[in-house]
Each structure stands twice: as structure tokens, then as C-alpha cells.
Amino acid sequence: MTAPIGEMVLGLPDAVLRPFVDRYVGYRERADVPLLRRESAGVFVVLIMGWGAPLDVTDPRSAERGVTAVDSFVAGTFDSWCTTRTVGVGEGVELLLAPLTARRLLGLPLSELTNRAVGVGQLPGRWLERLRDRLAEAPSWPERFALLDRVLAARLVASPPVDPRLDWAWRWLVGSGGRVSVGVLADELGWSRRHLASRFRQEVGLPPKMAARLLRFQQAHAASAQAGATGRSVDWAAVAASCGYYDQSHLIRDFHQFAGATPAALLAAR
């Protein structure tokens, strides 16, 4: 297959947004033949605002969870891998958002987007659709990133903050790399495990135990990607231990579920 040809431009959000948005990724990519990618799961929300060739997003478990022929979409938190397919020239901006940031920006509980990709025109207020049009009209990447700064900052100011107890639990879970137990989180909050799981499902889109698994997987996946970039061999048992896995078999299980392949197969593919 012919490799895609394109460019990628990274943008650093304004300082006021950096606690919420890590970076902007502008892209322009030409695929002369259909380009199929396997996208790994993660505890994040993907926002694509594009104005070029449309994409299909497919969850192999259920066609109803995907979306077809869209240039802009939001994908909620997923607990399995999915695929994207496109052909032609695609251009746009990609953001990876922490769940509680996405909750505030989108104005809806992430339980409504769990394991789903939705075109931006289907979301409340259609503000993302209007933003996509303005981004397409902007003449340069710096102007697009500045526009994102203004619009996202205004959305955050206008949105109510999330429950500080839930925010605290999320930050502790992330800070521990998914190693803190659900029982400890619940006890520290004075909540039952059932109530904590219910609040996570509603606002984050996934229960805390699944979120913890995905946080551990993301660390292991990043270690695999880094090894692939440097060409060095990987001690998968050591990776499993450093990322909080009980053993290597649990690491491999999560790669199968969240990436659709073993870590060694992903490394070879890179």
C-alpha cells in the first residue's frame, strides 16, 4: 500500500488552557488509496475537527457504535480498539481531552458517548460544527490555534466545574498510574464502591476499575512505542512490572483487548 503523504503541526495552547488541553495537532494528509488505521483504546476523548476527506470510524463489536463519512467527530472513552478508514486529502485539528475536561467542554455526561463516535453536528448546540467551519476558513495554523484558545477558554468559563470530589478521585487515579484501588478511593471520599462506580460511569464514561486498567495499558503502550522508535528490544516482563501489572500475561491480555494485538506484534508492525 502506498504510504500517506502529509504534514503535522503541533500547537501549544494558551497558558490558561494548559491544565485542560495538552496540545493541538494540526494535520494535512493525502491517502491515494484507502488508509486503514487501528486505534487503541484509552481513557481520553478524541475530538477531530476536519474539513477534508471524510472518515469512517468502526467498532468491530457493533456497527451502531461507529460513524461513517464524517470529517469531524467526537469519540468518547472506549474500552476496546476501533478502526478508522479514509481516502483522499484530509485536513483538520485533533485534540485528546481528559474525560472531565471533555465533560465540561461538551456539556454532556460522557456516559452518552461511551464506546461511541458521533459526528459533531449531532452534539448539543452545534457549536463544534460552527467552530470547524471557522477553523477551515482561517488562513494559517497559528490563527487556527489562536481561535481554539479563544473558543475553548470561553466554553470552560461558561461551564460549571465538575464535582470536586470526583475531580480529586480522577487526579489521584491518574497520578497513581492506575495503581490505587477502587476501595481506597471510595474510602477516602466516604462513598460506597457502588456510588463511586456510578459517578465514574456517568461522568468519565467508564467505571474506575476499567479506567485504572486503561491507564496502566497506556503506560505500557507508550513504552512499546518508545522502544519501536529507538529500535531496541523490550523486556515485556519488566514493562509489566513497571506499569503495575500482576504479570506479563495480564499485560498481553490488555493489549489484546485494548489494541487488538499482542505487544510484540504491535512493535513488529512499527
Side-chain angles (χ1 to χ4, degrees), residues 211-268:
R213 282 182 61 193
L214 282 163
L215 287 167
R216 295 193 295 270
F217 163 73
Q218 286 172 200
Q219 293 181 65
H221 192 277
S224 171
Q226 185 176 23
T230 59
R232 59 182 172 81
S233 61
V234 182
D235 181 343
W236 293 111
V239 170
S242 68
C243 294
Y245 283 94
Y246 181 74
D247 56 26
Q248 187 175 341
S249 65
H250 284 77
L251 171 81
I252 294 172
R253 175 203 64 182
D254 277 4
F255 267 77
H256 271 296
Q257 178 173 343
F258 300 142
T262 65
L266 287 177
L267 186 62

Side-chain angles (χ1 to χ4, degrees), residues 22 25 38 42 65 87-88 121 142 158 166 171 188 199 207:
D22 177 51
V25 180
R38 181 178 297 179
R65 294 173 174 173
V87 62
L166 188 63
R171 290 179 184 276
E188 290 292 330
R199 294 299 309 278

Side-chain angles (χ1 to χ4, degrees), residues 179-219:
R179 292 171 177 81
V180 63
S181 74
V182 176
V184 169
L185 281 177
D187 289 344
E188 290 292 330
L189 287 167
W191 290 351
S192 68
R193 295 189 184 193
R194 179 176 295 181
H195 182 67
L196 177 63
S198 175
R199 294 299 309 278
F200 258 72
R201 285 192 185 95
Q202 180 75 3
E203 303 297 342
V204 174
L206 297 168
K209 188 173 182 179
M210 177 59 72
R213 282 182 61 193
L214 282 163
L215 287 167
R216 295 193 295 270
F217 163 73
Q218 286 172 200
Q219 293 181 65

